[in-house]
């Protein structure tokens, strides 16, 4: 186990120790003023969920619902991030501009019903593109890399092109934050250019003072699980985040962005 992984275990245990009655927790390296704690009840209202926000410079971590932050759920379309990394690394796609032609199957979201590139399919969350890429990657190569990056429970025994969609693969918000930290710091077992490309196609909001890189995920079968994972570049500081809710990815994103505003990150 690496030093970084050990540090995450310590932070996770500390989260439980610092949990307060509102379901929020702060894991400070330095003392954190009380007013900086996240108003978790206000952020989530009546929706069940969890959120982790971590400052990579100070290791300060904010957690809403620390118990749920350690519970694993299917990643849904948030898996597009490792899928893109693996696809680029093994040559299943050449670059972010590699086009796959639409198969003329009409799907429920209009923006899916056209040709896509790796980058545009990330932004539109076009599942069919990433499923086709997963088939090109193949089970053996996919399993190799999922194991190497230690992504959640590492179980891809479900369908070869849908194991991340309400199937066998599961990951916790805490593990998502660890994965995002490794991506930001470029310590994952991929070429530097591969990681830079994926970080670039994750850009969700680019402003003068900050850039949000993020990916939503929604369990489309019942809209009962939503993710938003990623990081924010803010000056010389990077903040990683992961949220999941018993709702849609849009809801997880709204909770996360409001929390980032409350923390004066956005």
């Amino acid at each position: 186990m690496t030093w970084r992984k050990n540090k995450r275990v310590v932070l996770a245990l500390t989260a439980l120790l610092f949990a307060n009655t509102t379901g929020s927790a702060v894991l400070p390296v330095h003392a954190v003023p009380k007013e900086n704690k996240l108003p978790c009840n206000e952020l989530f209202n009546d929706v069940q969920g969890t959120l982790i926000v971590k400052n990579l410079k100070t290791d300060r971590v904010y957690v809403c619902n620390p118990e749920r932050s350690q519970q694993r759920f299917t990643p849904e379309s948030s898996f597009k991030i490792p899928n893109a990394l693996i696809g680029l690394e093994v040559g299943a796609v050449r670059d972010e501009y590699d086009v796959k032609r639409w198969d003329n199957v009409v799907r429920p979201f209009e923006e899916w019903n056209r040709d896509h590139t790796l980058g545009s399919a990330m932004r539109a969350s076009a599942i069919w593109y990433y499923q086709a890429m997963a088939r090109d990657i193949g089970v053996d190569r996919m399993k190799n890399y999922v194991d190497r990056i230690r992504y959640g429970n590492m179980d891809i025994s479900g369908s070869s092109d849908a194991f991340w969609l309400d199937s066998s693969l599961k990951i916790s918000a805490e593990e998502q934050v660890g994965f995002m930290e490794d991506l930001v710091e470029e310590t994952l077992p991929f070429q530097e250019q591969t990681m830079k490309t994926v970080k670039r196609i994750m850009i969700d909001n680019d402003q003068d003072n900050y850039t949000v890189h993020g990916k939503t995920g929604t369990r489309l079968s019942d809209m009962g699980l939503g993710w938003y994972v990623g990081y924010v570049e803010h000056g010389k500081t990077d903040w990683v985040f992961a949220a999941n809710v018993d709702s849609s990815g849009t809801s997880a994103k709204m909770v996360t962005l409001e929390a980032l505003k409350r923390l004066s990150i956005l």
Side-chain angles (χ1 to χ4, degrees), residues 14-256:
T14 310
L16 295 177
L17 295 176
F18 277 82
N20 63 28
T21 57
T22 64
S24 66
V26 179
L27 317 181
V29 171
H30 306 293
V32 177
K34 183 177 181 180
E35 62 269 23
N36 281 347
K37 291 184 179 180
L38 287 173
C40 296
N41 289 340
E42 294 178 29
L43 290 170
F44 285 88
N45 294 315
D46 295 327
V47 177
Q48 294 299 309
T50 186
L51 168 67
I52 307 176
V53 180
K54 179 178 180 180
N55 183 317
L56 296 188
K57 186 175 182 180
T58 65
D59 283 335
R60 179 178 294 174
V61 180
Y62 299 88
V63 182
C64 289
N65 197 347
E67 291 186 1
R68 177 168 171 137
S69 75
Q70 298 178 59
Q71 184 178 350
R72 286 172 170 165
F73 298 89
T74 52
E76 307 304 322
S77 282
S78 70
F79 185 73
K80 284 185 173 66
I81 301 170
N83 200 355
L85 288 165
I86 298 166
L88 285 164
E89 192 73 7
V90 305
V93 288
R94 294 185 302 274
D95 53 35
E96 65 197 276
Y97 308 107
D98 199 342
V99 176
K100 291 188 185 300
R101 302 299 178 186
W102 178 42
D103 57 9
N104 292 316
V105 174
V106 177
R107 295 177 173 86
F109 301 98
E110 184 59 35
E111 59 187 339
W112 291 7
N113 299 325
R114 61 179 178 85
D115 298 345
H116 272 288
T117 66
L118 182 71
S120 69
M122 175 75 77
R123 292 184 288 273
S125 203
I127 291 175
W128 67 262
Y129 185 104
Y130 280 76
Q131 289 183 304
M133 184 171 64
R135 291 191 293 269
D136 291 339
I137 291 168
V139 173
D140 291 343
R141 292 192 297 185
M142 183 71 81
K143 177 60 174 171
N144 176 48
Y145 275 101
V146 168
D147 286 353
R148 289 178 65 185
I149 64 178
R150 301 193 63 78
Y151 190 86
N153 66 355
M154 300 175 282
D155 184 356
I156 69 166
S157 62
S159 172
S160 62
D161 62 357
F163 56 83
W164 62 91
L165 299 171
D166 198 15
S167 184
S168 59
L169 186 64
K170 295 184 178 182
I171 190 168
S172 68
E174 185 177 283
E175 290 168 324
Q176 291 268 33
V177 162
F179 170 69
M180 289 311 308
E181 180 176 353
D182 287 343
L183 176 58
V184 171
E185 297 181 345
E186 297 182 356
T187 58
L188 292 169
F190 301 103
Q191 297 178 68
E192 180 180 340
Q193 185 56 50
T194 294
M195 291 182 281
K196 289 187 183 305
T197 296
V198 173
K199 289 193 288 185
R200 183 167 57 250
I201 66 176
M202 286 175 61
I203 292 176
D204 209 13
N205 189 0
D206 192 6
Q207 301 294 324
D208 291 339
N209 298 326
Y210 63 84
T211 302
V212 180
H213 304 246
K215 184 70 196 77
T216 56
T218 300
R219 190 170 65 207
L220 296 177
S221 60
D222 62 359
M223 305 295 282
L225 171 65
W227 283 97
Y228 190 52
V229 303
Y231 70 100
V232 181
E233 297 177 77
H234 182 94
K236 296 182 179 179
T237 303
D238 292 318
W239 296 76
V240 295
F241 60 81
N244 65 58
V245 297
D246 290 346
S247 184
S248 66
T250 299
S251 295
K253 181 175 179 177
M254 290 174 61
V255 168
T256 303

